[in-house]
Amino acid sequence: MHPPPPAAAAAAMDFGQNSLFGYMEDLQELTIIERPVRRSLKTPEEIERLTVDEDLSDIERAVYLLSAGQDVQGTSVIANLPFLMRQNPAETLRRVLPKVREVLHVAGVEMQLTAAVSFLTILQEESVSVHTYAHSFLQVILLHLEHRDTGVSNAWLETLLSVIEVLPKETLRHEILNPLVSKAQLSQTVQSRLVSCKILGKLTNKFDAHTIKREILPLVKSLCQDVEYEVRSCMCRQLENIAQGIGTELTKSVVLPELIELSRDEGSSVRLAAFETLVNLLDVFDTGIFTPDQHLRFLEFYKKLCTLGLQQENGHNENQIPPQILEQEKKYISVRKNCAYNFPAMIVFVDPKNFHLELYSTFFCLCHDPEVPVRYTIAICFYEVSKLLNSGVYLIHKELITLLQDESLEVLDALIDHLPEILELMSTGGESSVQENKLSSLPDLIPALTAAEQRAAASLKWRTHEKLLQKYACLPHIISSDQIYYRFLQRMFTIMMTNNVLPVQKAASRTLCIFLRYNRKQEQRHEVIQKLIEQLGQGKSYWNRLRFLDTCEFIIEIFSKSFFCKYFFLPAIELTHDPVANVRMKLCYLLPKVKSTLKIPADKHLLQQLEMCVRKLLCQEKDKDVLAIVKRTVLELDRMEMSMDAFQKKFYEKDLLDQEKEREELLLMEMEQLEKEKQQNDGRPVSDKTFEKKRRDTKTPTTLPKSIPISVPGPSGTSTPSTSKEIKKSKLIRSQSFNNQAFHAKYGNLDKCASKSSTAGYTSSVSGLGKTSVISLPDDSFRTRNASSTPTSFPSNPSLPSTSRGTGNSVDPKSSGSKDTQPRKATLKSRKSNP
């Protein structure tokens, strides 16, 4: 080995010297760090002192540790004091408590806090009588009220305030009230006077008005005029309790003058305390009984506050405004914001019947205020205003449109929190009974709703967009089915197909399903179903096919089982052949819900198709992650119990809910036929009153449940067919238009792979996917669509797809791997955690 050159050797030497000095410094630091560790180790003598004889009783051990133990041991004994009181109260009071008093004189903060908590626990557990507690513990509590540590003092004060609640009057007078006279003097510390304020506020509920007036009110007046603002503020906040103890007359003559004086105090915290106390005491002062003149002056003053600062010129440049003017404008905005917040209370003040005359112009100004915080606040209050106006809610139709069209998304976000309730009030005129829809007099509503959605979609605030789409699910019982179909359904499709935010896509999908659920024209329903299958379920983009599975999940939740089986069962399970692993994986997660829609023996052929698809996945799946999920899904499917053709107690509630969904789906079709007959007779459509009457006759609700825009699948109720004839008449003939021969031929070799499956117990029999039980529900009776006329907003197709995607609209696997083209395997794996 060649020696390093001289320069390198010198550099190495310098490095070594620097490293040596660095190591020495590190060693010194380590020595400093280790010193506390060494000190924390106990010597044999210390261990001997900490050791206690195991034969000692609990009382003896407590006395020993309080006498000769260390602080941590004494703290432990005091924390255990409630247990000792429960176990042996007499010996604890006689032997342990005197030692506790001695220790607390020199105790640290931790032991003091522990003692305050233990004394309070003993009081709450009622381990001893009130008399014994006052004799044994009260003096200890009073002694430590003025501890130099504020936290300790407050802890003892909280304990004392709880003790005051249970002590008799005589004990309170002699032990607490009489000493308080000297403790509240100016010669005492600020802490002592603060404690006196809180004690006085508590004592007023324990004495009669005469005693309060003679012994307590003089102290209260003195503390209200204290030289320290903290004391004045503290006493001011206790005046509410004092007023409740002395009654209305004394409050007006004694407390009210003090409050008025404190409201002019130089200290801002004192003025705030006085204002809050005055507000809390309004009921005591009988302020609800105004003379007409007082009522008018109060109302006019409120109106002026609502427009405070708006009369000034706003065309100036903010950079040229003096800072004091800007600060004043901020205060004006705050005042108008608070006026908007209290607007519902002012409606109660003037009576809703007088709203149009007294407050409408003010409400108009608040809704058109130039500042966003003011409009945001009135948008939050809009629902409360609507409820208060009741039948007069039509007066604020235009303001609803104004806020829906507001340029600030914050205002829109505040308004849509209660948008379904607001629209329902406006559609019924604030009355609970179902009437003709009154929104027909508001032609600007639908354009305002669509414009609001487009503004939310164009912004970066996707949560507002998602919330708005969820709230739009209320529209089926607000506007007509045709209006939804032509103005909202296509937009939901567009969002599902083009939006890049998954929660927004799912919200649009769920709302679209609800629109479909309550659509009253069979032709339109079939067009929507066809579009869902063709553009999502059979779409070239794997992202669209994933959204189709989301839609299937919503359909299972919202529609009847028969509806799903008729239209979506086969297109859904056909995705077991999808070329993208993420789609197959998501379908596997959905399969238990898919199977739950089947009823045996009516759906025996669908169960066989499901079994074949699952077996193919077990035999041919190449992706290890998908295969693992398939195996878990098979075990879950095998444990599932299936429905059959008679009621069973286990599924009773679910079956009634599903039956109710079927009955309402049938009712929608019956109403469609009724509308056609009515139009043929006199050219007029069937009114909502007729539909409501029909619904009552069939005991089926038509309005959406209140929570359906968020999570509830549909109307629930208990209703059963009246006779077997009605059951038979209402049964639906499920569509079997798929080609069984072609389907079986396609999967004819799957039985050969069954033995290769690593999951035991899975058979090809009808019950191979689970146990069976018996249920009888009316089948779907959806009629065949007449394709002679189709709306222009949807593509026309002579037949509704109900077979597999491979036999209908073939898709090139090479172009099915991504939103546009086939992605790399790594791209697919990245989405598996979020199927």
Side-chain angles (χ1 to χ4, degrees), residues 645-662:
D645 288 338
F647 278 110
Q648 192 175 16
K649 292 182 179 180
K650 185 182 297 185
F651 302 105
Y652 185 75
E653 292 183 3
K654 292 182 179 180
D655 294 340
L656 285 178
L657 177 61
D658 184 67
Q659 187 183 50
E660 196 68 30
K661 292 177 183 178
E662 286 192 19

Side-chain angles (χ1 to χ4, degrees), residues 771-783:
K771 304 171 186 177
T772 59
S773 54
V774 182
I775 294 176
S776 175
L777 292 176
D779 235 342
D780 242 279
S781 61
F782 294 95
R783 301 164 187 168

